[in-house]
Amino acid sequence: GAVVSQHPSWVICKSGTSVKIECRSLDFQATTMFWYRQFPKKSLMLMATSNEGSKATYEQGVEKDKFLINHASLTLSTLTVTSAHPEDSSFYICSAGDTFSYEQYFGPGTRLTVT
Amino acid sequence: GIQVEQSPPDLILQEGANSTLRCNFSDSVNNLQWFHQNPWGQLINLFYIPSGTKQNGRLSATTVATERYSLLYISSSQTTDSGVYFCAVASSNTGKLIFGQGTTLQVKP
């Protein structure tokens, strides 16, 4: 199956700083990628749709100025958490699908801790 | 938007037992996937099954799209099957997956 990677796998940052998370599709091209957030013992919540070459589409309630998304190529999307605060601490997961089916493949996730 | 409900929320089994997990959804879908989330958080694709029946080893899944539900069968469960099982659906060409709340499975030796 298709492989999606994320980097870093975990990060600790201080309050007020910004953190960038990368999501890469390793063996296929993805015009669309998705970013999810998961709190402990909870389900995944869709944050935004990342579109190659255009602006991201954010779900209701997600601050676009807080969570900046850039999809600069067909294999890379980045999520930047700006001016991070402790409440931004969470598990962030990306997904991508190939163009021939609707099936989505997920990255291993990034655990963010803001102190 | 589309609603996804999974049952049961928690399940405890003895090793070797069989189980059935259910996923109900509120609208027609063009994608339905079952995942197993391992202890490190990685979502493992089990099945892509918007309709029909598939089998992979001890796991099988059936989606009855007209009745808006899907079932995941685990036979001869093993301790390594423990974890959270998610059902996720998409109802439009956007590809956006909406997740159910998951079923937490614990298989005891």
Side-chain angles (χ1 to χ4, degrees):
Chain A
V3 180
V4 177
S5 71
Q6 276 185 246
H7 178 82
S9 55
W10 59 271
V11 57
I12 301 172
C13 71
K14 291 188 175 181
S15 207
T17 62
S18 295
V19 173
K20 181 184 285 188
I21 302 170
E22 293 185 347
C23 176
R24 294 182 185 272
S25 56
L26 297 186
D27 50 3
F28 65 101
Q29 294 183 331
T31 56
T32 303
M33 292 183 175
F34 300 92
W35 287 96
Y36 295 81
R37 183 175 182 176
Q38 186 179 29
F39 290 104
K41 299 191 183 301
K42 297 292 185 182
S43 186
L44 280 77
M45 180 189 75
L46 178 66
M47 299 175 64
T49 303
S50 174
N51 304 298
E52 189 268 334
S54 65
K55 290 183 179 180
T57 306
Y58 292 83
E59 296 300 303
Q60 191 171 7
V62 177
E63 299 176 61
K64 62 180 181 181
D65 295 329
K66 159 69 83 173
F67 300 100
L68 299 180
I69 292 173
N70 184 277
H71 195 149
S73 77
L74 287 172
T75 59
L76 173 64
S77 174
T78 61
L79 168 69
T80 301
V81 182
T82 63
S83 187
H85 292 285
E87 57 265 29
D88 299 323
S89 298
S90 193
F91 191 55
Y92 293 89
I93 312 174
C94 70
S95 76
D98 64 35
T99 56
F100 301 103
S101 78
Y102 292 113
E103 186 171 5
Q104 292 288 312
Y105 301 91
F106 283 76
T110 297
R111 197 164 302 279
L112 169 64
T113 301
V114 184
T115 61
Chain B
I2 193 167
Q3 305 296 313
V4 184
E5 292 185 2
Q6 289 185 244
S7 59
D10 300 283
L11 186 59
I12 300 175
L13 297 175
Q14 208 64 40
E15 197 168 29
N18 303 327
S19 63
T20 301
L21 282 59
R22 187 177 179 103
C23 173
N24 292 333
F25 44 96
S26 61
D27 204 347
S28 57
V29 299
N30 56 22
N31 181 7
L32 188 147
Q33 291 183 242
W34 283 98
F35 300 93
H36 178 209
Q37 189 168 38
N38 69 20
W40 298 272
Q42 172 79 63
L43 284 170
I44 309 299
N45 285 38
L46 297 178
F47 294 102
Y48 167 67
I49 188 165
S51 64
T53 297
K54 290 185 177 179
Q55 180 159 7
N56 184 1
R58 295 182 296 104
L59 302 182
S60 63
T62 295
T63 298
V64 184
T66 53
E67 297 186 23
R68 298 181 183 169
Y69 73 89
S70 182
L71 302 174
L72 176 69
Y73 304 97
I74 305 174
S75 65
S76 303
S77 58
Q78 301 175 359
T79 56
T80 52
D81 294 331
S82 297
V84 183
Y85 289 79
F86 286 108
C87 165
V89 305
S91 62
S92 70
N93 291 332
T94 63
K96 297 194 295 185
L97 282 177
I98 305 302
F99 279 75
Q101 292 305 304
T103 292
T104 301
L105 173 64
Q106 182 182 359
V107 181
K108 295 186 172 181

